[in-house]
Amino acid sequence: MPAEEQCRNKEWQNRYRNGFFLAPMVRIGTLPFRLLCLEYGADLVWTSEIIDKSIVGATREVDEKSGVISYIKRDKDVFTTHPSEKEKVVFQLGTADPDLALEAAKTVEKDVSGVDLNCGCPKKFSVSGGMGAALMSDPDRLCAILEKLVQGLDIPVTCKIRVFDDVDQTLRLVRRIAATGISALTVHCRTRAMRPSEKAMWYRLNDIVKELPDLPVILNGDIFEHSDVQRARDETGATSVMTARGAEENPSIFRVQGKLSVMETAVALTKLAVQTSNVFINTKYILLKMYPDTKSKSFEILNKSRSYKQMCEAMGLTEYYETEGVHLIHERSEPSKTRIKPGKQPQATENACKRKSEEQDKIVAQDSNSAIPEEPAKTGTVQQAVPQQGSGSETNPELAETTDVAEAHAAK
């Protein structure tokens, strides 16, 4: 390997060393949440899984007011980012096809710091297409995809897997993966069949770290406090650590100084969502998942909100919305009832949207009171900053308003 290429690869690997990262989480890891985690100290942030066909063919648009970069397809935001996270955001890709994988990755290459292949998600919407954890059972295909990405991109390529029950089978797989030239490997320390309630098997990482002495190995699983980071590294030899559920519960987990109150982080998230004109239903979903008191009047008001105006009122940000927010939210971000399709009667459209919204709220509220899903201060203004990710052939679990909320809890 030429000296210049060796130097570049070492530099890329160093990006994944000694860090505390935000894991990919369906519906949660959209732009405002990523930006908030970066503000609180996350070293790198992963997007939610985005399926190859969802992003291929998307149109790239830049909002002049906010600087937000949106990849839009069929009038929906498939992926949204901002220049402020350019050096910190890792694009997680769902794919089962080497050529489609490269085409998808090339689409966003100039706006992200790296591409990560999802080989760990056990959920039906991912494995049914041969993606996610299904790739672990097809190592030839998995490695063909990684080789295609490594050879075709000018940014680092990484991979996220789970472990097999059999230790030797796991080690054989990681050796093959490492040989493709990736810059780092993330290991979710659970098997495909294990659920979030089952303790992550940190000890399984020790053999992998020893097997891959030169490759950064990132631990994922059961990181709920900042103090867990060093403990996990000490016990396993992991190069870095990644959290999903810990950040979902309170994104200020990344603060070395200690966590802020959940409500403080929720207010900060709301402001960032407005500044980035995040899709309303996604912002509402995240807030309801974060909200500490689901029995409170304010939670009820938030749950009934139908627009950013009402959401800001529920979060005590009425003045902020009226003075700043109203000028930042674009039409595509608000609920569909604000847009009347040609040939439809306004009242009929509004009634239909109201019924749909009420059904969604029931699901989201029920889900917000359910068990926490698997791993998955001062808020700076995004140089004025729009988001969402995709999944399933061309469906996007981040934005699909009819997607079963339970599936949104799939941790990679």
Side-chain angles (χ1 to χ4, degrees):
M1 182 185 296
E4 184 178 342
E5 188 174 342
Q6 287 181 342
C7 183
R8 183 195 66 173
N9 290 347
K10 185 174 182 180
E11 179 187 339
W12 283 355
Q13 288 184 358
N14 287 340
R15 297 183 189 180
Y16 300 93
R17 298 187 189 278
N18 305 313
F20 188 16
F21 308 146
L22 175 68
M25 287 185 286
V26 175
R27 283 193 182 182
I28 300 293
T30 47
L31 179 59
F33 194 84
R34 298 197 306 268
L35 292 178
L36 188 60
C37 289
L38 287 171
E39 283 190 21
Y40 289 146
D43 295 297
L44 293 174
V45 290
W46 266 243
T47 70
S48 306
E49 176 192 32
I50 301 176
I51 301 306
D52 48 20
K53 291 182 181 179
S54 296
I55 196 73
V56 169
T59 301
R60 182 181 185 272
E61 293 185 8
V62 180
D63 186 289
E64 293 184 0
K65 290 188 298 183
S66 66
V68 170
I69 301 164
S70 299
Y71 285 84
I72 302 169
K73 194 170 182 179
R74 296 174 185 150
D75 199 37
K76 291 186 182 294
D77 297 330
V78 179
F79 170 59
T80 305
T81 185
H82 188 271
S84 62
E85 68 167 358
K86 165 69 170 65
E87 301 304 320
K88 303 285 188 178
V89 64
V90 178
F91 182 89
Q92 195 188 55
L93 180 63
T95 185
D97 181 281
D99 294 328
L100 268 177
L102 182 59
E103 187 177 0
K106 294 295 284 185
T107 301
V108 300
E109 181 178 18
K110 66 180 178 181
D111 292 316
V112 299
S113 69
V115 170
D116 182 74
L117 177 63
N118 174 17
C119 303
C121 181
K123 292 298 182 178
K124 182 179 179 181
F125 71 81
S126 189
V127 298
S128 62
M131 302 176 290
L135 285 172
M136 291 182 60
S137 300
D138 191 354
D140 290 341
R141 182 189 297 270
L142 190 166
C143 291
I145 294 171
L146 289 175
E147 289 170 355
K148 189 84 171 182
L149 292 173
V150 169
Q151 294 166 11
L153 297 176
D154 291 320
I155 54 176
V157 174
T158 58
C159 179
K160 189 168 188 289
I161 66 170
R162 292 190 174 224
V163 295
F164 291 114
D165 289 313
D166 183 75
V167 173
D168 290 336
Q169 185 181 11
T170 302
L171 294 180
R172 286 196 299 272
L173 178 64
V174 300
R175 282 195 295 268
R176 289 196 61 181
I177 289 174
T180 64
I182 61 171
S183 297
L185 173 69
T186 300
V187 180
H188 184 157
C189 298
R190 290 184 173 92
T191 65
R192 174 175 171 176
M194 289 176 68
R195 306 319 308 148
S197 57
E198 299 176 76
K199 185 177 176 62
M201 302 180 294
W202 287 6
Y203 64 89
R204 290 292 304 275
L205 205 68
N206 296 80
D207 289 334
I208 296 174
V209 170
K210 292 175 183 176
E211 192 69 31
L212 309 174
D214 300 322
L215 187 71
V217 178
I218 304 163
L219 178 148
N220 178 217
D222 288 355
I223 302 294
F224 298 109
E225 302 292 339
H226 200 285
S227 58
D228 290 335
V229 175
Q230 192 58 50
R231 183 169 66 88
R233 294 184 62 188
D234 290 343
E235 290 184 16
T236 67
T239 311
S240 295
V241 173
M242 175 183 282
T243 184
R245 282 186 291 164
E248 182 188 38
E249 290 177 8
N250 189 327
S252 64
I253 186 177
F254 294 103
R255 280 170 46 94
V256 176
Q257 311 93 313
K259 294 179 183 177
L260 303 172
S261 72
V262 175
M263 278 308 299
E264 186 172 349
T265 65
V267 170
L269 177 74
T270 306
K271 289 179 114 176
L272 278 170
V274 170
Q275 291 167 15
T276 58
S277 194
N278 190 48
V279 172
F280 170 80
I281 195 165
N282 174 253
T283 303
K284 182 177 177 179
Y285 176 85
I286 299 172
L287 288 174
L288 291 176
K289 293 293 295 178
M290 291 173 61
Y291 217 85
D293 184 3
T294 59
K295 305 293 185 183
S296 66
K297 182 67 175 177
S298 54
F299 177 87
E300 182 182 344
I301 294 172
L302 175 63
N303 191 36
K304 290 182 178 179
S305 64
R306 297 285 184 272
S307 65
Y308 264 112
K309 181 176 185 296
Q310 294 174 357
M311 176 184 287
C312 286
E313 290 172 356
M315 299 301 294
L317 294 171
T318 300
E319 183 178 352
Y320 170 76
Y321 178 82
E322 291 177 349
T323 57
E324 297 183 45
V326 69
H327 305 295
L328 298 172
I329 301 295
H330 59 58
E331 183 186 66
R332 202 169 60 250
S333 299
E334 292 281 19
S336 55
K337 70 180 181 182
T338 63
R339 305 191 297 275
I340 299 174
K341 294 180 180 179
K344 291 233 177 183
Q345 292 300 315
Q347 189 61 48
T349 299
E350 182 174 341
N351 289 342
C353 290
K354 182 178 180 181
R355 288 194 300 273
K356 182 177 181 180
S357 185
E358 287 173 347
E359 291 170 0
Q360 292 162 356
D361 287 344
K362 285 180 183 178
I363 296 174
V364 173
Q366 290 167 359
D367 189 56
S368 298
N369 288 306
S370 66
I372 297 171
E374 169 165 24
E375 321 207 87
K378 181 180 178 181
T379 302
T381 301
V382 182
Q383 178 201 346
Q384 292 205 253
V386 12
Q388 298 313 315
Q389 277 74 349
S391 183
S393 352
E394 282 205 60
T395 44
N396 182 347
E398 294 294 326
L399 302 179
E401 298 180 4
T402 56
T403 300
D404 185 345
V405 173
E407 285 197 345
H409 293 166
K412 311 297 183 301

